[in-house]
Amino acid sequence: MPSISTASWTAEQPRSRQTPARVSRFDAASALFAAVALSAVTWSATMEQTTEPQKDSATENSARSAMPVPAPAGAEWMFAGYGGVPFTYPSDVTLTKSGVHDFTAKQVGWDGKPFINPVYYGARIVRFGAGRTGAMLDFTHSKTISRLQEEIEFTGTLNGAPAPARATLRDIFRRLEASHGHNMLTLNGLFRLPSLGLRLQPYVGLGAGVSLPHAEVQMANSDKRTYEYQLAGPVGQALIGLEVRTQRVSYFFEYKFTLAPYLMPLSEQDGSWLPLDLSRQLRNWLSGEEPPGGYASTTLVSHQGIFGLGIRSAPIAAAP
C-alpha cells in the first residue's frame, strides 16, 4: 500500500496533532462589522418604536379616514447585517502535484455548521435610486467542512501510485475545509418587484465577484499544511427576497444561490491577515513559482437562506 498523505479545509474537527487554530484578524474584524451592523439596526428598530409620538383619538380617526399610502420609494442607502443557513452540494475535489499526485476524490460531502464559531454571517451596502433598480456590495462568510469520516471513491494517482478505489477521506486528508470562511464578495444588481402591500417589498438580484476562502488543506501523513486566505476564483450568485419596511429599518428574508469554482495553490504555509496573504499569493504568481503542494480544485454550489436587519438613510414617505 502506498504511503498516504492528507489535506483539509475545516476548523471544527479536533486537533490532536495540530496547534490550535488561531482566529485571524480579518475573520475577527469582519465578524465585528456584522455584529455592529446587527446591533445598530436592532437599536434603531427599538428606538423607532419607543419614540413614536402619541396621537389623540381625533388625530387617529382623521388619519384612519384619510388612509395614506406610502409614496414610491426615493433614493436611499441601506447598511445591513445578516445570519443564515447554507447547504452545499457534494463536489469532486482534485489534487495535482507534478510527478506526485493527480487524483480526484469523488463527491466529497460538505458541512456548513452555521451556528458553531465562526458562525455564518454577512454584511452588505445597498443603494437604490428613485426607481426600481439598485446595486449591492455583499460579503458572505459561510463555511465548507469536509466529512472526513465518510468513505468515498478515488481515481487517479496518489504518491506516484494508483489511488485506492475507495477509502475513508480521513485516510487521504488530515484537513480539507474552508472553516474560517468560504468567503464571497460580490457586486449585485437589484430589481424591486411590485409591492405586496404597505410594508412588503419583494426583490430579485444577480451578481458576480470573487471567492476569498481561508484554505485549510493538509495531507494525511504530512506535517506541512496550507492555512491561509486566498483568491480562489470567481463567484456568481442569484437571489430573491422579501423586505419588510418600517419607518427607517428593514427586515429581510432572502434565498441565495451561489456558484464558486475554486483553484487553490497549496503553498504549505500558515498565513496571517487577508491583505498580506493575498499579497504573497500575487508575488508567487507573478514570479511563476509553482506552489510546493500543488493545486486543489473543486466547484462549490450552495443554497443559502438568510435573515437580516438593515438601517436606511431615508424614511418611508407618505403620499398626501
Side-chain angles (χ1 to χ4, degrees):
M1 164 80 73
S3 93
I4 291 175
S5 10
T6 324
S8 65
W9 297 343
T10 14
E12 272 78 38
Q13 303 295 332
R15 298 174 173 265
S16 57
R17 291 179 287 178
Q18 294 291 328
T19 343
R22 59 181 183 277
V23 177
S24 72
R25 283 172 284 180
F26 173 76
D27 215 30
S30 50
L32 179 61
F33 177 80
V36 169
L38 284 167
S39 301
V41 296
T42 303
W43 175 83
S44 177
T46 305
M47 291 302 294
E48 177 182 315
Q49 298 195 12
T50 57
T51 58
E52 184 177 351
Q54 299 295 319
K55 302 176 183 176
D56 59 31
S57 58
T59 304
E60 288 179 354
N61 290 336
S62 171
R64 191 178 297 112
S65 63
M67 293 288 291
V69 296
E76 65 182 20
W77 290 88
M78 183 173 75
F79 300 88
Y82 59 86
V85 178
F87 169 79
T88 300
Y89 287 103
S91 65
D92 292 355
V93 176
T94 298
L95 196 147
T96 58
K97 180 180 179 181
S98 180
V100 183
H101 305 306
D102 188 359
F103 70 88
T104 299
K106 296 287 191 176
Q107 295 298 288
V108 173
W110 306 105
D111 290 324
K113 299 184 179 180
F115 306 117
I116 297 175
N117 188 51
V119 299
Y120 179 104
Y121 64 85
R124 59 179 49 170
I125 301 171
V126 181
R127 167 67 177 173
F128 269 99
R132 291 187 177 274
T133 58
M136 174 177 70
L137 183 65
D138 186 35
F139 173 78
T140 302
H141 174 284
S142 186
K143 284 181 293 190
T144 49
I145 301 171
S146 65
R147 297 170 187 164
L148 295 176
Q149 74 280 6
E150 291 188 350
E151 182 178 275
I152 60 173
E153 179 185 348
F154 290 84
T155 61
T157 303
L158 172 65
N159 290 329
R166 294 189 66 82
T168 301
L169 192 61
R170 192 184 302 279
D171 293 336
I172 310 300
F173 295 101
R174 183 179 298 179
R175 299 185 68 76
L176 181 62
E177 58 187 71
S179 56
H180 285 295
H182 167 33
N183 301 311
M184 295 166 281
L185 180 66
T186 58
L187 182 62
N188 304 265
L190 300 178
F191 182 77
R192 281 174 169 156
L193 301 173
S195 174
L196 299 180
L198 301 185
R199 304 280 187 181
L200 302 179
Q201 178 61 66
Y203 60 91
V204 294
L206 190 66
V210 293
S211 296
L212 300 168
H214 189 271
E216 299 171 37
V217 181
Q218 186 176 10
M219 298 302 287
N221 295 333
S222 174
D223 59 357
K224 296 179 180 178
R225 66 176 183 175
T226 299
Y227 189 84
E228 64 181 0
Y229 289 103
Q230 296 182 345
L231 175 62
V235 60
Q237 76 173 13
L239 58 93
I240 181 168
L242 179 66
E243 181 186 0
V244 182
R245 294 168 63 84
T246 64
Q247 189 69 7
R248 277 191 181 272
V249 173
S250 287
Y251 305 86
F252 54 92
F253 303 85
E254 188 176 294
Y255 161 77
K256 298 203 298 181
F257 173 84
T258 59
L259 174 66
Y262 272 23
L263 178 63
M264 298 178 299
L266 302 181
S267 66
E268 297 184 344
Q269 294 186 4
D270 279 15
S272 55
W273 191 37
L274 178 114
L276 296 179
D277 290 354
L278 296 188
S279 171
R280 183 173 61 204
Q281 183 183 359
L282 177 61
R283 288 196 307 271
N284 292 341
W285 179 77
L286 290 174
S287 72
E289 180 183 341
E290 286 293 311
Y295 291 91
S297 61
T298 191
T299 297
L300 299 177
V301 180
S302 303
H303 301 290
Q304 299 170 47
I306 69 172
F307 165 72
L309 303 171
I311 183 167
R312 304 192 312 274
S313 62
I316 291 178

